[in-house]
Amino acid sequence: MSKLDWNPDLYLKFDKERIQPSIDLVARIDYNMPVKIIDIGCGPGNSTQILVNRWPHSDIIGADNSPAMIKKATDDYPDQKWILFDAGKDHLNDTFDIVFSNATIQWIPNHDKLLKKFAGLLNDSGVLAVQLPLFFDMPLGKSISGIAGQSKWMAATQGVDELFTINPAAYYYDHLAKYFSKIDIWITDYYHIMESQTAILDMIRTTGLKPYLERISYEKDKQEFENLVLEEIKQDYPLQSNGKVLFPFKRLFFVAKK
Ligand SMILES: C[S@@+](CC[C@H](N)C(=O)[O-])C[C@H]1O[C@@H](n2cnc3c(N)ncnc32)[C@H](O)[C@@H]1O
């Protein structure tokens, strides 16, 4: 696994918290008997299983640009179809009834282009279903971005905030309306109940914090950066009376039908 690749095992450590948005997104898709479905940014295949459970007779493909994630998905679900595919760059000569993408498009730039591409992957009555985290609307995202902007880290982490592409609901509505006739958009705050404040750090180390840590060269500096993030977590997410921690996580969803 290259340094910049994902770590599927660490990612799945918080599977319960990560899977609920896929369950909620699938529940809002109104499509009776889809023949072909693609899960773009399928990761280790966790979100794909929600699609398989709902439509066990459909032809479902999991697509991801991470070799480590595709290997994990193939190892865990050898009977399913998995492809290495970069949604920002690669093309597919195929169309689908459902294009599904959970917690992925924030890693891909140019969402106007991407939504057009997703629309082009759909059949006539096809459905696009997407969820993305509103990372910088959360105290945690703001803290990480603020620490990265401090003089000690600025040179190393410059430009990392821009690796995330996250637009407001109004942006998605305007672009979706060009290709789709029926559009639903909503935002959910998930209150994850965490065992400790450190568990919040553990959960985001493999996702939102990952690109910042990757830019910092030395292990001791990475540790210092993480300690600063943990201090902010302690202020923003206090202990509950029983010692647990509520971690509200804001996510934007849209489902659009052609
Ligand atoms: C946070 S994980 C989401 C995994 C899974 N869908 C879930 O719901 O838990 C984001 C996934 O997006 C993938 N990804 C990021 N950029 C991508 C791209 N340009 N094309 C395809 N997959 C991409 C990553 O490799 C990673 O597996």
Side-chain angles (χ1 to χ4, degrees):
M1 193 188 305
S2 79
K3 181 183 164 228
L4 294 175
D5 206 346
W6 288 70
N7 184 324
D9 293 316
L10 285 182
Y11 182 75
L12 284 172
K13 210 177 142 198
F14 293 92
D15 190 38
K16 181 176 157 292
E17 287 76 14
R18 301 200 197 281
I19 206 61
Q20 191 61 43
S22 283
I23 296 170
D24 298 341
L25 184 56
V26 165
R28 294 282 292 261
I29 302 174
D30 180 16
Y31 207 117
N32 211 7
M33 300 261 278
V35 177
K36 292 187 87 167
I37 303 174
I38 186 164
D39 180 7
I40 293 181
C42 62
N46 52 341
S47 48
T48 323
Q49 300 324 299
I50 308 302
L51 296 164
V52 171
N53 292 344
R54 165 98 188 258
W55 294 288
H57 304 298
S58 300
D59 181 5
I60 302 180
I61 300 176
D64 201 289
N65 72 343
S66 155
M69 287 297 203
I70 287 296
K71 180 175 184 314
K72 176 75 175 158
T74 309
D75 288 349
D76 287 358
Y77 308 101
D79 296 335
Q80 294 176 27
K81 287 189 198 163
W82 307 105
I83 54 167
L84 254 186
F85 170 74
D86 187 321
K89 298 182 184 145
D90 298 337
H91 290 277
L92 277 179
N93 289 326
D94 213 346
T95 53
F96 302 87
D97 297 320
I98 297 173
V99 170
F100 180 91
S101 187
N102 187 65
T104 295
I105 71 165
Q106 73 276 11
W107 300 107
I108 306 173
N110 301 328
H111 284 184
D112 50 345
K113 212 172 117 205
L114 190 67
L115 293 178
K116 185 175 182 189
K117 184 172 187 173
F118 284 174
L121 283 173
L122 282 165
N123 295 327
D124 281 350
S125 56
V127 173
L128 172 65
V130 172
Q131 180 275 127
L132 70 159
L134 295 178
F135 190 57
F136 296 112
D137 287 2
M138 294 160 45
L140 181 61
K142 291 191 176 101
S143 297
I144 295 173
S145 175
I147 294 166
Q150 292 172 4
S151 53
K152 166 148 192 182
W153 311 103
M154 210 190 293
T157 60
Q158 197 163 28
V160 175
D161 284 0
E162 288 73 44
L163 294 178
F164 296 88
T165 302
I166 302 172
N167 295 294
Y171 170 98
Y172 292 110
Y173 178 78
D174 276 347
H175 287 281
L176 289 167
K178 294 182 204 165
Y179 316 108
F180 296 92
S181 61
K182 183 175 180 295
I183 299 164
D184 288 328
I185 305 181
W186 71 99
I187 289 173
T188 300
D189 275 314
Y190 289 90
Y191 277 73
H192 298 314
I193 298 166
M194 310 298 282
E195 289 303 317
S196 65
Q197 290 155 325
T198 314
I200 296 180
L201 186 64
D202 291 342
M203 183 174 167
I204 52 121
R205 189 181 283 119
T206 52
T207 53
L209 190 55
K210 178 175 172 296
Y212 297 90
L213 294 176
E214 284 170 353
R215 292 288 184 90
I216 300 170
S217 304
Y218 297 108
E219 208 45 55
K220 75 167 186 26
D221 290 334
K222 286 184 204 278
Q223 193 57 58
E224 185 182 337
F225 192 91
E226 281 198 1
N227 288 342
L228 291 171
V229 174
L230 184 58
E231 285 315 308
E232 299 272 337
I233 288 173
K234 286 180 178 166
Q235 285 179 32
D236 291 331
Y237 306 98
L239 296 177
Q240 297 299 125
S241 333
N242 63 359
K244 301 210 180 196
V245 181
L246 289 183
F247 178 30
F249 206 113
K250 200 179 270 304
R251 295 178 182 274
L252 172 71
F253 296 74
F254 50 83
V255 174
K257 195 173 178 69
K258 271 197 163 177

